[in-house]
Amino acid sequence: MPMGREFWLRKAAVLDRIALAEEVTYAPEVAAPAIETAEEAAGWLADFDHTHHTTHGPGKPLLTPPGRSYRPYVRQEYLAWIKTQTES
């Protein structure tokens, strides 16, 4: 069964939250694996949204210059998703 957008969005959001917590709790070298994993998951979501044209927030995926993080994009999309969940 292929994974849908909600799966990638929620996965990227939880990994971003873990990375944020580790960034403020641990030394950079200890937090680095969580940050790298969050960056990778954010890229998966951006790729999914770019491929399927499923962006809900104002920022578009894959417009970020190389070397920039997609983690803010994940936060934007998660916030937009949460708003739709609470409105229903």
Side-chain angles (χ1 to χ4, degrees), residues 7-17 38 41-43 45 71 74:
F7 171 84
W8 292 116
L9 175 62
R10 293 176 73 167
K11 181 176 184 119
V14 75
L15 291 171
D16 181 57
R17 297 272 170 87
L45 175 66
R71 288 173 61 199
V74 170

Side-chain angles (χ1 to χ4, degrees), residues 60-70 73:
K60 302 299 180 204
L62 301 180
L63 296 179
T64 303
R68 300 276 309 266
S69 176
Y70 284 112
Y73 175 76

Side-chain angles (χ1 to χ4, degrees), residues 36-74:
E36 184 178 317
T37 301
E39 294 287 354
E40 187 175 354
W44 295 332
L45 175 66
D47 184 56
F48 184 94
D49 281 351
H50 178 73
T51 301
H52 297 92
H53 307 286
T54 50
T55 298
H56 296 286
K60 302 299 180 204
L62 301 180
L63 296 179
T64 303
R68 300 276 309 266
S69 176
Y70 284 112
R71 288 173 61 199
Y73 175 76
V74 170

